[in-house]
Amino acid sequence: MVTSHSAHAPYRTRFSVAGHEAYSDASEAKGGAAAGFGPHALLEASVACCINIWLRMHADKNGIPLSGVAVDVRLNREASGETILEWAVSREGNLTPEQRNLLREQVDSCPVSQTLLKKISFREMSAFKGS
């Protein structure tokens, strides 16, 4: 579970999970100081990191000589009624065309992408502190 706490600067937020912490903030145009990741950037980062880790795990499991992965993800909200996560993946290593294709096929099955493809609902947790 991720927990976030208000910081002293307007809109700056510290978030933490399992002993790790980072900051989120609103852009200057929205009254923040841009002193941390924007909330939408965190969504993009979640997908990008998941794809990166997932491809490396698949390569390790299948003996594919993948030496590195770079993933770009962009959240496109321009279409009315639809949110599109666009991605580009660069695979490094002495890979055959077949291995490149196998890795490409794995992108769609990264666990975060699979989670986001399901119906999503929001609900308040019971017994929330300070409510």
Side-chain angles (χ1 to χ4, degrees), residues 51-117:
I51 290 170
N52 193 307
I53 292 167
W54 187 249
L55 292 182
R56 290 185 290 146
M57 289 175 127
H58 183 75
D60 287 349
K61 181 179 173 183
N62 293 286
I64 297 173
L66 182 66
S67 60
V69 177
V71 181
D72 293 321
V73 173
R74 177 177 49 211
L75 181 61
N76 179 337
R77 296 182 291 160
E78 294 172 4
S80 178
E82 182 178 17
T83 299
I84 303 167
L85 286 156
E86 302 169 327
W87 55 265
V89 175
S90 173
R91 299 162 301 258
E92 300 170 11
N94 189 20
L95 306 171
T96 66
E98 180 181 272
Q99 290 168 329
R100 287 186 181 281
N101 287 335
L102 286 171
L103 290 171
R104 163 50 194 97
E105 291 170 1
Q106 288 301 308
V107 169
D108 295 333
S109 61
C110 107
V112 170
S113 296
Q114 290 299 302
T115 297
L116 292 172
L117 286 170

Side-chain angles (χ1 to χ4, degrees), residues 8-13 24-39:
H8 296 292
Y11 311 125
R12 188 164 188 212
T13 304
S24 181
D25 197 358
S27 66
E28 290 177 354
K30 292 184 178 178
F37 302 99

